[in-house]
Amino acid sequence: MLSIITGPSASKNLVAWAALTAGALAGGCSKVPLLAPSQSTISLSTSSTVVQSNGSVQVSAMVLTQPGIPVHNGTHVSFSTDLGSVSPTDVTTVNGVATAQFSGNGQSGVADVHATSGAAKDPAATTTSGVGSTIKLTVGGAAAARVLVTANPSRVSANGGSSTITATVSDANTNPLIGVNVVFTTDNGTVSNAVALTNSIGQATTTLTTTTTATVTATVGPTGTGAVTPGTVKVTVTALPDITIAAATGSTLVQGQPVSFTITVTPGASSDVFQSIVVNFGDGSTSGTLGGGTTSVSHTYNSPGTYTVSATGTGVSGDSKPTSTIIVVGPATPIGVNLSSTPPSGTPGAGNTVIFTFLATVTPSTTPVQSYAWNFGTGANPPSATTTGNQASASYVSTGGRIPVTVTVVVTPTSGPNGNASVVIAP
């Protein structure tokens, strides 16, 4: 209210009133924040619209008056968000710019960060209603653009096993995303972690345990139209071919005679292949490495008995599959031996020296012989001998054919029982 002050002190009172009024007005103005004038514009920008779930990014608001001139320094801008947090929420401009920090709170989604100052509007807005400016930030899993899944190993034993499954989550620029939930599912077997968080390099892991071929799927973020395609990886359980071993038809299961074995490999529709096959003959000896398909091998047993013969096929992955058969090896039939002598050289008659030559023949004639042990009988010189050949000679003092002498030979084959024979001579 304005009044006229009169009286002797009018001028003094007028000065005091004016000072009081000015102070009051100044005090009242200092409490009202400076906001953008009408018809100003406000627009938000950021260095990245992709934010880790626990990450942060700087958000800047540019406030301009209608001619496009920055507002006065100290103009207040208010920030808010519907996901995560923004700090500080009230910022004053410097050269028309107010800056705040958006921080994720571990949740994934799309954050709408909003900034207002007075009636300033976003120049890019398509409607005339509303004030302020909004920028969208994709946070955590919402920023995922690709999920790459790997398995180590990608093949496990035919009896089943475990494989480490790793899902690598990245954004559209292939930057790894940290702290993103990955959901693992499998069509066979089990996974140790159904949900796992990505680490500092954007990877989440789980362990698959399975006895059959399995496909593991890693899903990130929401499903449906526009969602990132889940990653998948297959872990194959090795299936090995069937394998059998048997003594070949017609084989003679006798000590000292070769026995032939047939190893038959029958692959399945989707089985692995054998890289190699090894046969253990059951007597302490093996075949060495054979090929991976149907094959045959032979072996000679030096002793009669019952033997378990096994064949083990090894696949590309290192898995192996055994099979076995039992055979009975009979004792060898003693070889046949025939001993003959040639007519003596020299003149038979009392006191004369004559020489006899002896020839040993074996049946069957193909029998490998280790040695011939000769006993030339009474009065022979030498009385005995051992040879590797089947012929030997000895000398005698003739008695005119009146006293018979028995000569024997023992034949030792390479394997199997000995054979022997004798012949009677009359020196």
Side-chain angles (χ1 to χ4, degrees):
M1 178 178 66
L2 180 63
S3 63
I4 298 175
I5 301 174
T6 60
S9 302
S11 60
K12 183 184 296 185
N13 291 337
L14 181 60
V15 170
W17 175 84
L20 179 63
T21 301
L25 290 174
C29 291
S30 66
K31 295 180 181 179
V32 177
L34 179 62
L35 300 176
S38 61
Q39 299 187 11
S40 296
T41 62
I42 183 170
S43 55
L44 281 171
S45 64
T46 180
S47 57
S48 175
T49 57
V50 175
V51 187
Q52 304 283 0
S53 60
N54 288 306
S56 61
V57 68
Q58 183 175 285
V59 180
S60 298
M62 172 68 77
V63 187
L64 303 174
T65 63
Q66 187 179 20
I69 300 172
V71 295
H72 291 295
N73 287 347
T75 298
H76 286 256
V77 177
S78 295
F79 289 91
S80 63
T81 179
D82 60 354
L83 177 68
S85 62
V86 64
S87 179
T89 56
D90 185 76
V91 185
T92 57
T93 60
V94 175
N95 297 325
V97 178
T99 300
Q101 180 117 330
F102 170 84
S103 298
N105 61 356
Q107 295 181 336
S108 295
V110 177
D112 285 337
V113 179
H114 193 64
T116 60
S117 181
K121 295 183 178 181
D122 192 327
T126 57
T127 63
T128 57
S129 61
V131 295
S133 177
T134 300
I135 190 170
K136 293 184 179 295
L137 305 179
T138 51
V139 183
R146 186 179 69 161
V147 183
L148 177 65
V149 188
T150 59
N152 184 28
S154 61
R155 301 171 68 93
V156 297
S157 166
N159 297 321
S162 298
S163 175
T164 299
I165 309 298
T166 302
T168 302
V169 183
S170 57
D171 62 21
N173 296 318
T174 70
N175 298 311
L177 295 178
I178 304 168
V180 174
N181 275 326
V182 179
V183 177
F184 292 101
T185 57
T186 178
D187 60 352
N188 285 305
T190 59
V191 289
S192 59
N193 298 319
V195 180
L197 281 175
T198 56
N199 58 17
S200 60
I201 57 175
Q203 293 183 343
T205 61
T206 190
T207 299
L208 168 72
T209 303
T210 184
T211 57
T212 57
T213 297
T215 298
V216 179
T217 301
T219 304
V220 174
T223 58
T225 304
V228 60
T229 302
T232 61
V233 67
K234 177 179 282 189
V235 176
T236 303
V237 175
T238 303
L240 295 175
D242 287 333
I243 180 172
T244 60
I245 185 170
T249 302
S251 287
T252 303
L253 306 184
V254 175
Q255 170 192 5
Q257 298 296 317
V259 181
S260 294
F261 297 94
T262 298
I263 300 100
T264 303
V265 175
T266 307
S270 59
S271 65
D272 202 350
V273 296
F274 289 134
Q275 274 194 319
S276 63
I277 296 172
V278 174
V279 176
N280 186 320
F281 295 109
D283 63 349
S285 58
T286 61
S287 65
T289 302
L290 306 175
T294 296
T295 186
S296 61
V297 66
S298 64
H299 181 66
T300 299
Y301 291 87
N302 294 325
S303 301
T306 300
Y307 298 92
T308 299
V309 185
S310 63
T312 302
T314 302
V316 176
S317 60
D319 295 323
S320 60
K321 190 174 187 178
T323 186
S324 63
T325 187
I326 297 175
I327 63 170
V328 178
V329 176
T333 302
I335 58 174
V337 181
N338 180 66
L339 182 59
S340 62
S341 65
T342 62
S345 61
T347 303
N352 295 335
T353 298
V354 292
I355 298 174
F356 283 82
T357 297
F358 305 97
L359 179 68
T361 56
V362 298
T363 305
S365 60
T366 56
T367 302
V369 175
Q370 181 174 313
S371 64
Y372 298 83
W374 307 89
N375 187 321
F376 297 115
T378 304
N381 182 29
S384 63
T386 300
T387 65
T388 57
N390 66 338
Q391 185 173 296
S393 298
S395 63
Y396 301 84
V397 176
S398 178
T399 59
R402 292 186 298 273
I403 302 176
V405 176
T406 300
V407 179
T408 62
V409 64
V410 177
V411 180
T412 302
T414 302
S415 62
N418 298 339
N420 61 80
S422 62
V423 65
V424 177
I425 63 170

